[in-house]
Amino acid sequence: MENRERAVRIAALALLIGASAAAEERGGAPQSRLVLQVEAAGTIRGEYRGETEIVVMPPFEPARVTLELDGHLVATLTSAPYRIAADLGPKPVEHSIRVTATAPDRRRVRWESIINRGSEPLSVRVVKRDDGMVEAIVTSPVEDPVVEVEFFHDVGSLGRLTSPPWLVRAPEVHDSLLHAVAITRSGIQDSHGLTPSAEVFIEEYAWRRVPIEVSVVNEEGNVLTNLEASQFRIIDNGERARIVSFAKAFDEPVSFSLLIDASNSMNSFMPHVQRAARRFLERTMRDGDRASVYSIHQVPRRWQPLTGDLAAVQSALGQIESRGNTALWDAVATSIRELEREPRRKAIVLLSDGEDTDSLTTWPEILKSARFAAIPIYIIAFGSKGTTGRHADQLRYLAAESGGFVVDATTESLELAWNRIEQDLRARYVIQYEVFASSKANQWRTIKVSVSSPRWTPRAIRGYFAR
């Protein structure tokens, strides 16, 4: 893993050399200058980083000059001046630079220089020792030391250490990936691990980047809007993930579907439901948002396709009439199919007073569809029938799996229920994380999101199907 990452960095540097050279031809100027000559072979004093002009002074001319960085060829220079422009990165990192100069008569001179001696980037390598311990061998920049190393196996965490030596007892049975995540003081992370048979990752493992939305509530049920990335911790299928981007999506456009149970049992309550839903739309819909409206009968009916026209959505709500039975799962499946094509944030808001009676879609099918779609489902369980029994358990499970929630409501508390959903929609954090994991398609992977206080509750999808 370490050699592969180093090769990737060298390849990236080679590309940067070409880009920097082109920029120099257009008038750009490197920030520093590194001169390589045989008389100065060995360690070169000074600190080299960022845009750097590398100049080679061969002992004879003409010459064919090659430059190798940490054992990888990055440039061949065939005529004077023997120089390139390279981006060495924002921080000083120790590099070995080998120069080979070849004359037309095949005379050859080779020497090696070391720059930024002692400046190591963050790296971690896991080894299994003969005494039954697993050790993480880490390096890091002097100014940003490693402050935490956590070891993971398929059963979960093997131990979290905050000071060296970075050692834990190996599991009795090592039949799956075992790895460690190192974190520096500034929050930078790196990972390495062992397969059962070797100290390198096998080909089926790769970095997987996963986007998720998360909202967080306190003990009173109020959403928290001032959290930072450092307050979140994500475990993907037992593997510690590293957060690579974090943003507040409070004002980002949302596409959402309103699913209103309009079966016979809702007849006397429909005016209350319609009024509360209209007020929800007035508060919630902003420029760029889109909404659709469905009524749930023995067959779902879409009264309004996704639109940004608030008046059209409210008008569709007013046309709903109560009749027939309840095809709840069919309605959810239909709205998922409509929303899946949307490139923006998405949500489903469902209000129902009873259980599914007429759907062709089964409970396992709707659960799988919801997991694939990863669209938050908010459910208003209206009246006493919607709050208890096996069907209520299914609704709560479906909402939790998707990153939404269920709120119980009566006609008196209906406004409060809609308000809670509105607040959650506008207080979601968008996180992208990376995890080193198997790349098998259609494998279900669990997600566990935790936050820095046990008094807070995060809401996020509980898993996803690897694609």
Side-chain angles (χ1 to χ4, degrees):
M1 178 65 177
E2 185 177 2
N3 292 335
R4 186 174 68 187
E5 288 183 343
R6 197 131 179 111
V8 170
R9 289 199 296 268
I10 300 305
L13 180 59
L15 292 174
L16 287 168
I17 285 173
S20 298
E24 187 182 40
E25 290 178 2
R26 295 193 299 269
Q31 297 174 356
S32 60
R33 192 168 186 259
L34 170 63
V35 178
L36 303 174
Q37 50 189 335
V38 67
E39 295 84 357
T43 300
I44 297 178
R45 295 185 180 276
E47 189 176 273
Y48 296 91
R49 58 182 171 178
E51 290 289 330
T52 302
E53 181 185 46
I54 301 177
V55 180
V56 180
M57 301 183 69
F60 44 74
E61 288 191 40
R64 183 176 183 271
V65 174
T66 60
L67 280 175
E68 296 174 71
L69 191 73
D70 300 326
H72 297 267
L73 179 67
V74 294
T76 299
L77 309 172
T78 57
S79 61
Y82 305 97
R83 62 175 183 165
I84 59 173
D87 187 344
L88 297 177
K91 295 183 178 180
V93 174
E94 180 176 315
H95 290 294
S96 169
I97 304 177
R98 177 182 290 178
V99 181
T100 303
T102 306
D105 60 4
R106 297 189 178 181
R107 283 180 298 151
R108 177 178 294 178
V109 176
R110 176 176 290 169
W111 71 95
E112 189 169 308
S113 300
I114 306 294
I115 62 171
N116 302 325
R117 171 74 77 178
S119 297
E120 292 287 343
L122 173 64
S123 69
V124 56
R125 185 167 63 91
V126 178
V127 296
K128 189 174 181 181
R129 307 193 329 181
D130 294 337
D131 60 2
M133 302 294 286
V134 175
E135 181 177 8
I137 301 172
V138 303
T139 65
S140 64
V142 174
E143 70 277 7
D144 192 18
V146 171
V147 296
E148 178 186 321
V149 174
E150 187 163 8
F151 294 82
F152 294 93
H153 194 232
D154 58 350
V155 297
S157 176
L158 294 175
R160 179 185 178 196
L161 307 174
T162 56
S163 62
W166 313 108
L167 289 168
V168 295
R169 176 67 58 182
E172 292 184 7
V173 179
H174 181 203
D175 57 359
S176 63
L177 182 67
L178 183 159
H179 82 288
V181 176
I183 306 175
T184 68
R185 186 166 56 200
S186 68
I188 298 174
Q189 301 181 25
D190 196 17
S191 175
H192 182 254
L194 304 176
T195 62
S197 59
E199 291 190 6
V200 294
F201 290 114
I202 55 180
E203 286 297 320
E204 66 176 338
Y205 283 86
W207 282 108
R208 178 187 304 282
R209 181 166 289 198
V210 182
I212 61 171
E213 289 186 21
V214 185
S215 61
V216 182
V217 296
N218 60 17
E219 291 174 301
E220 292 75 35
N222 299 318
V223 292
L224 303 178
T225 59
N226 58 348
L227 302 184
E228 304 295 336
S230 60
Q231 294 175 273
F232 290 83
R233 174 185 170 97
I234 300 172
I235 303 296
D236 182 305
N237 225 39
E239 311 293 335
R240 173 75 175 267
R242 64 182 186 185
I243 295 173
V244 295
S245 68
F246 177 86
K248 297 177 180 180
F250 304 168
D251 298 318
E252 292 296 316
V254 182
S255 293
F256 57 93
S257 293
L258 296 184
L259 277 56
I260 307 297
D261 184 344
S263 56
N264 284 328
S265 60
M266 288 291 294
N267 185 53
S268 60
F269 305 110
M270 191 54 62
H272 298 283
V273 170
Q274 290 167 319
R275 266 196 310 273
R278 287 195 194 97
R279 284 194 284 267
F280 166 78
L281 289 168
E282 290 169 358
R283 291 190 307 268
T284 304
M285 283 194 71
R286 303 178 183 178
D287 290 342
D289 290 348
R290 283 154 57 86
S292 59
V293 177
Y294 292 80
S295 61
I296 306 173
H297 311 282
Q298 60 269 27
V299 176
R301 175 175 178 179
R302 187 176 69 178
W303 290 88
Q304 175 61 56
L306 283 167
T307 179
D309 187 339
L310 173 60
V313 179
Q314 290 183 322
S315 174
L317 274 171
Q319 298 177 57
I320 297 176
E321 296 180 352
S322 300
R323 57 178 171 78
N325 294 325
T326 312
L328 203 62
W329 304 145
D330 285 350
V332 175
T334 303
S335 65
I336 286 175
R337 286 193 292 271
E338 180 184 35
L339 287 170
E340 276 182 324
R341 297 188 293 269
E342 287 291 284
R344 64 189 70 199
R345 295 175 56 213
K346 300 177 276 283
I348 294 172
V349 183
L350 164 67
L351 182 146
S352 177
D353 74 335
E355 61 184 70
D356 185 284
T357 59
D358 281 50
S359 284
L360 297 176
T361 306
T362 65
W363 163 248
E365 289 171 342
I366 196 58
L367 180 60
K368 187 173 183 179
S369 295
R371 284 172 163 174
F372 261 114
I375 300 172
I377 300 176
Y378 300 96
I379 300 173
I380 299 176
F382 185 78
S384 59
K385 287 194 296 181
T387 61
T388 59
R390 178 173 173 271
H391 175 70
D393 292 339
Q394 290 177 332
L395 289 178
R396 295 183 195 284
Y397 190 78
L398 179 66
E401 286 288 294
S402 68
F405 58 85
V406 174
V407 54
D408 298 329
T410 62
T411 53
E412 291 77 19
S413 60
L414 202 50
E415 289 279 350
L416 179 61
W418 288 106
N419 287 344
R420 286 184 58 188
I421 293 171
E422 177 202 357
Q423 290 169 8
D424 197 86
L425 271 176
R426 294 303 178 186
R428 298 184 74 84
Y429 302 90
V430 176
I431 299 174
Q432 278 203 337
Y433 69 83
E434 285 184 336
V435 63
F436 203 76
S438 168
S439 58
K440 292 179 181 177
N442 296 324
Q443 177 191 28
W444 175 251
R445 298 184 62 85
T446 59
I447 296 176
K448 182 179 179 181
V449 179
S450 58
V451 285
S452 54
S453 171
R455 296 188 296 273
W456 301 342
T457 301
R459 294 171 176 151
I461 56 172
R462 290 182 174 175
Y464 64 97
F465 286 98
R467 307 221 177 175

